[in-house]
Amino acid sequence: MTFWDHLEELRFVLIRALLAVTLCSVAAFLLGDDLFKILLAPTHSEFLTYRLIDAPADFRINLVNTGLTEQFFVHLRTAFYVGILFSSPYIIYVVAKFVAPGLYQREKVLALQLVCASYVMFLIGTLVNFFFVFPLTVRFLGTYQVSPEVSNMLTLQSYTDTLLGLGLVMGLVFELPVVCFFLSRTGLLTIDVMRRYRRHTFVAILVVAAVITPTGDPFSLFIVSLPIYLLYELSILVISKTG
């Protein structure tokens, strides 16, 4: 194939990827009632996480809408995020099919492992956020009061922005073992270095968590920092087993 043939093929790959995102986003938008029934589950005490930690049965957060177009655009943004999440396997497939002819067999196997592991770890990160990080964060901050005379009134936009923002952050954070594995394979990172700089890494994790946490409060900082450090320890274990 000539350069222009490759460019034409790339154009079709991008069109198929965009079409997949569009179709999944439209489907998520049309299933909005079911989608938001799931996303709004952490606002009341019947949510699985609250029942596991034996939270008070009367816990409930009532969300409000303060803008004329706010609910519509929240619906659009959420559907688009979900559309990207669910169309990613197909996008990965078409991109891999485009790139594969230029790789050796060993490179194809390694690339497939890295891509699949990256997607799985991103999904795990979003699930950890939805069932652990976000519920504990919203329960703590949503009920926190400096005085009984001051009541909390959370907006739908604030709720969804925090949920999706933390979901994206935790999804990217869970890529840490995959990144460390790749760097170890290229020789840029060794297990001795990771073990030697454990304390430095812990401080760096606190700083990074403070930057990426949307709310910026100490409770959320701790909730986000803990999984990151555990992932760092998991990365050491992965490198030691595969090295």
Side-chain angles (χ1 to χ4, degrees), residues 49-222:
T49 303
Y50 302 142
R51 286 190 278 128
L52 290 177
I53 63 174
D54 197 23
D58 59 348
F59 169 70
R60 189 171 191 86
I61 294 178
N62 296 313
L63 301 178
V64 298
N65 175 54
T66 59
L68 179 63
T69 61
E70 184 175 302
Q71 293 201 55
F72 176 72
F73 282 109
V74 165
H75 194 173
L76 279 180
R77 285 198 304 272
T78 305
F80 181 67
Y81 181 92
V82 174
I84 292 178
L85 188 64
F86 281 93
S87 63
S88 293
Y90 176 74
I91 295 174
I92 291 172
Y93 168 74
V94 294
V95 172
K97 190 176 179 181
F98 173 75
V99 175
L103 301 176
Y104 293 108
Q105 184 61 33
R106 182 171 177 274
E107 294 173 335
K108 290 180 182 179
V109 173
L110 180 60
L112 180 62
Q113 292 174 342
L114 289 174
V115 170
C116 291
S118 297
Y119 182 71
V120 170
M121 292 303 293
F122 188 89
L123 281 181
I124 294 175
T126 58
L127 291 175
V128 169
N129 171 66
F130 184 72
F131 287 103
F132 176 66
V133 177
F134 180 72
L136 297 182
T137 300
V138 77
R139 186 179 183 279
F140 175 76
L141 296 178
T143 59
Y144 185 84
Q145 291 177 286
V146 295
S147 169
E149 298 180 2
V150 182
S151 60
N152 291 323
M153 184 176 293
L154 301 181
T155 65
L156 174 65
Q157 182 170 349
S158 173
Y159 178 90
T160 54
D161 285 350
T162 304
L163 173 60
L164 298 181
L166 275 176
L168 179 61
V169 166
M170 293 304 296
L172 294 176
V173 163
F174 267 67
E175 300 296 335
L176 182 60
V178 179
V179 173
C180 290
F181 173 77
F182 175 75
L183 293 178
S184 68
R185 281 302 185 95
T186 58
L188 298 175
L189 184 66
T190 63
I191 190 170
D192 292 332
V193 171
M194 295 187 70
R195 287 171 175 168
R196 189 182 310 125
Y197 289 98
R198 263 194 176 103
R199 295 179 181 178
H200 304 79
T201 301
F202 181 74
V203 175
I205 286 173
L206 291 177
V207 174
V208 171
V211 173
I212 65 178
T213 303
T215 54
D217 63 282
F219 182 81
S220 299
L221 176 63
F222 171 75

